[in-house]
Amino acid sequence: MCSSDLPVTLSAGPAATITVLSGNGGTGTVGTVYQPGPVVQVTDADGNPVANGTVTLTVGDGGGSIQPGTLSTDATGKATISGWTLKPTIGTDSVTVSTPGGTSVKIKVTVTPGSATQLSLNGGSTSGQVGQSLAVRSEVHTSEVQSPMYLVCR
């Protein structure tokens, strides 16, 4: 009979998979921090969570930003992306999450305009006959929508 009182410590292998647990395919407002932050989980080839692993965050084209650019996974292999500021224009924004070993996943979000906080109406002067319809071309600009909207008033 053989026994040992020596402790045995088991740990996960290197990162093999990154899984997006939440936050992919959501919607956020231009120029705001995307909430709630996406959550990813890093696991090894056997599906064990990689604790204290490092993931690097890279924002896609379009002008968004992310701080910090690297995160550490917790004891369950999870990392929450809490500092992703979406781009200042409508469309799709993305962040790529990668490990030092080259495993990566892309998270995409639809960026929508926010509520207008200002409205301005620019229209030239016009004249016409009494009792006749007038077509007035005006530009309406809001603080959130970048392209002008045209109204025809009659």
Side-chain angles (χ1 to χ4, degrees):
M1 182 172 215
C2 183
S3 68
S4 174
D5 289 334
L6 297 176
V8 176
T9 303
L10 301 175
S11 60
T17 304
I18 302 175
T19 303
V20 180
L21 300 179
S22 66
N24 192 30
T27 301
T29 304
V30 294
T32 63
V33 174
Y34 181 55
Q35 293 293 332
V39 177
V40 297
Q41 184 175 37
V42 180
T43 55
D44 67 11
D46 293 319
N48 299 306
V50 178
N52 300 314
T54 300
V55 292
T56 302
L57 310 172
T58 307
V59 172
D61 296 336
S65 63
I66 197 151
Q67 290 295 329
T70 59
L71 295 173
S72 294
T73 58
D74 64 14
T76 64
K78 296 177 185 175
T80 301
I81 303 167
S82 59
W84 180 11
T85 300
L86 300 175
K87 67 184 190 168
T89 56
I90 60 174
T92 301
D93 205 353
S94 65
V95 62
T96 300
V97 183
S98 56
T99 63
T103 302
S104 66
V105 66
K106 185 178 278 191
I107 300 170
K108 293 182 180 180
V109 172
T110 299
V111 182
T112 60
S115 300
T117 56
Q118 294 180 335
L119 181 66
S120 64
L121 176 64
N122 299 321
S125 62
T126 189
S127 62
Q129 299 295 321
V130 173
Q132 299 294 316
S133 296
L134 296 175
V136 179
R137 182 175 172 158
S138 299
E139 292 183 11
V140 177
H141 297 271
T142 71
S143 61
E144 293 294 329
V145 179
Q146 301 299 320
S147 57
M149 297 178 286
Y150 295 99
L151 303 174
V152 177
C153 302
R154 295 193 174 165

